[in-house]
Every structure is written in C-alpha cells, then in structure tokens.
Amino acid sequence: MVGDHVEFRTWPELWLVKHQGRVVYVPGVSPPNSILEDENLKWACIEFRGTKFGPLVHPETGILRGIGFLKRSDDNLRSTPDDFDFPEDEQENEEAQQGVSHQPAKSFSVSFQDPFNRAGGRTFNVRKNMKTILLIILLPMFIGCGLAPAPDPRMSKNVKVSKDESGKTITLHQKIIRPHPSGISAHLPSGTYKHVATGTGYFYFKAPKPIAYLHPQKEKSLSSTGGIAISKTMLQPCYIYMDEDPGTSPGTKMWTWMLGMEFISEEGDVWWKRNY
C-alpha cells in the first residue's frame, strides 16, 4: 500500500546495492498516472534518496518482482501526494511529439514478493548510474584485451518467412532503446509481442505498435510496423525486423537492427517469454 517501507535492488546497478524506500504510487489505488499505466501494463512507484523507481506489476499475478516488504507506514504518508509526478525521459517525449499514443490499462491490486529477486522496471535518476558502473567494470577488460569496436548494428537484410501464428508471446515490461553513435536510435515499445511468423532458425514476434527509428534530424525519423526476431535456440543474435510490403515482397521481412546476445541476457528482467 502507499506509504509502505520496502527494500529492493535495481538492474542498472547490477543488483549489487540494496535500497530501502517508500511506496508512493499503487496502480488501482492511486489516481491514474499516464506514465505508469501504459499498453495494458502498470508500474508502481517507490521513492528513495530523491529518486523514483518504477517496478513492473506483473500483468497476470499482480506481483511486484524483487520488492521486499519491511513495514507499514509509520507517518502521514498513506496516500499518493497531490503533487506526485513520475518523470518521462526525453526519448519518450520525442515519440509523443511524433504522435505515438498511449492506451489505458485495466487496474488490479498489488502484492509483494520475497526481497532478493531481481527488480526490473522504469527508472529515472537510477538509470543515470548504469553507464558509470558498467564503464568502471568493463573498461579495464576492453583495454586489456584490445577489443575492437562493436560492429554497426544497423542493417538491411531481407529474410524469407512463413506465416505461423501460435500462442507464443514475449512481453517487454519497459521500452527498449538501442542508440547508435551517429545519434540514430531504435525504440521498441513496451507491451506484448505476438508470434506471427517463422523463418530459418527464428521466430518473429510482432510489436504492439510501430517501432520508431529516431534521427537527429527529425524529418528523417520514421516509424514502421515490425517486431523482434528471436533465435529458436536462444543461441544466436536477435534482430529488430520491419514488415515488408506484401504486394512487392510476399513472405519477406527485413532485419533492420541487430539486438545481439545482449537482448537474450535481459530475459527475465526486461522481458519474458510465454508458451515456448
């Protein structure tokens, strides 16, 4: 409930640090907030040290993963403050200006799970610490091993697929942004991606709304229907794909961006799969 004292860890800090905070927003109890209720998904909000952390409420169980209950409110904080606001990042604002809509979600109650599971969700100030932590850990490895720069993830490769709808789904509980040094970035929307096709070695999951490719020059930005191609064995890189024009390229999809094995490693924290 609002005001509860809780403890948790955050993935941007590699789950190395345990935090304690206060619940300030509970979907279905607090006044609706458009940032925390989106695409049939909902997030609670916890405040700690001036930072807001938004763990996902599991859409089927109503559970907050990785949030440990400590005690009930022991002061006047028992309802969401009237001036409550959850900051929206700049990329989301850009998409909103380009007409990307948000749909309301159904409400349900929230319960807590045991403490030491991983916590995923939307973050604000905490997210800023991730780059520093990863740089400290990984930079010596890169220098010592003399690793070359990562290959350019942008691509344009047509692949043959066959229509194959099933009950398989993947759910992204937060938007995934893949930036490029050129300033271009690919934005995968949160929500449930449905299995719509199968190709050699890959399942194709269609995004719930268009994928945005943002460019520093806004007139060059675009959005397109498509989704994520995931290796059947989970041992090959994943790709963002774009739907091809069925009139000119029947049975074809285009790989546009390599997500790599990083996406596979995020399963269970940033996304999960169902029925396969």
Side-chain angles (χ1 to χ4, degrees), residues 81-94:
D82 293 337
D83 60 350
F84 172 79
D85 177 52
F86 193 87
E88 187 174 17
D89 62 47
E90 293 179 1
Q91 287 90 348
E92 287 179 339
N93 285 331
E94 284 190 46

Side-chain angles (χ1 to χ4, degrees), residues 87-112:
E88 187 174 17
D89 62 47
E90 293 179 1
Q91 287 90 348
E92 287 179 339
N93 285 331
E94 284 190 46
E95 288 189 2
Q97 292 171 5
Q98 294 182 31
V100 177
S101 60
H102 298 282
Q103 299 178 358
K106 297 179 180 179
S107 61
F108 41 78
S109 61
V110 176
S111 60
F112 291 100

Side-chain angles (χ1 to χ4, degrees), residues 133-144:
I133 293 172
L134 292 178
L135 185 62
I136 293 173
I137 294 175
L138 299 178
L139 187 57
M141 297 172 57
F142 291 161
I143 295 175

Side-chain angles (χ1 to χ4, degrees), residues 213-225:
Y213 300 87
L214 300 186
H215 193 281
Q217 301 176 20
K218 290 189 176 182
E219 64 274 10
K220 294 185 179 180
S221 297
L222 60 89
S223 62
S224 173
T225 59

Side-chain angles (χ1 to χ4, degrees), residues 5-76:
H5 294 258
V6 296
E7 63 180 3
F8 59 95
R9 303 171 191 263
T10 61
W11 74 265
E13 295 175 305
L14 305 181
W15 306 284
L16 298 176
V17 181
K18 184 189 296 183
H19 301 286
Q20 293 187 2
R22 304 286 300 276
V23 177
V24 294
Y25 183 90
V26 177
V29 175
S30 304
N33 181 286
S34 61
I35 305 302
L36 295 171
E37 301 186 23
D38 179 30
E39 288 298 324
N40 294 321
L41 296 177
K42 292 192 173 190
W43 292 262
C45 183
I46 299 169
E47 281 192 352
F48 67 106
R49 298 191 318 220
T51 294
K52 290 184 172 72
F53 170 62
L56 175 76
V57 180
H58 194 286
E60 296 181 356
T61 65
I63 289 175
L64 288 175
R65 299 180 59 211
I67 307 299
F69 173 76
L70 296 177
K71 62 180 180 178
R72 296 296 182 191
S73 176
D74 51 6
D75 55 23
N76 294 327

Side-chain angles (χ1 to χ4, degrees), residues 107-133:
S107 61
F108 41 78
S109 61
V110 176
S111 60
F112 291 100
Q113 230 180 2
D114 293 334
F116 301 110
N117 298 326
R118 295 175 176 176
R122 296 187 175 191
T123 59
F124 178 49
N125 293 336
V126 170
R127 188 184 304 164
K128 298 177 182 178
N129 297 331
M130 181 178 65
K131 292 182 180 179
T132 302
I133 293 172

Side-chain angles (χ1 to χ4, degrees), residues 22 35 41 48 54 126 152 160 184 205 210 224 238-239 242:
R22 304 286 300 276
I35 305 302
L41 296 177
F48 67 106
V126 170
D152 192 332
K160 292 289 185 180
I184 300 172
F205 295 86
S224 173
C238 299
Y239 298 90
M242 179 184 297

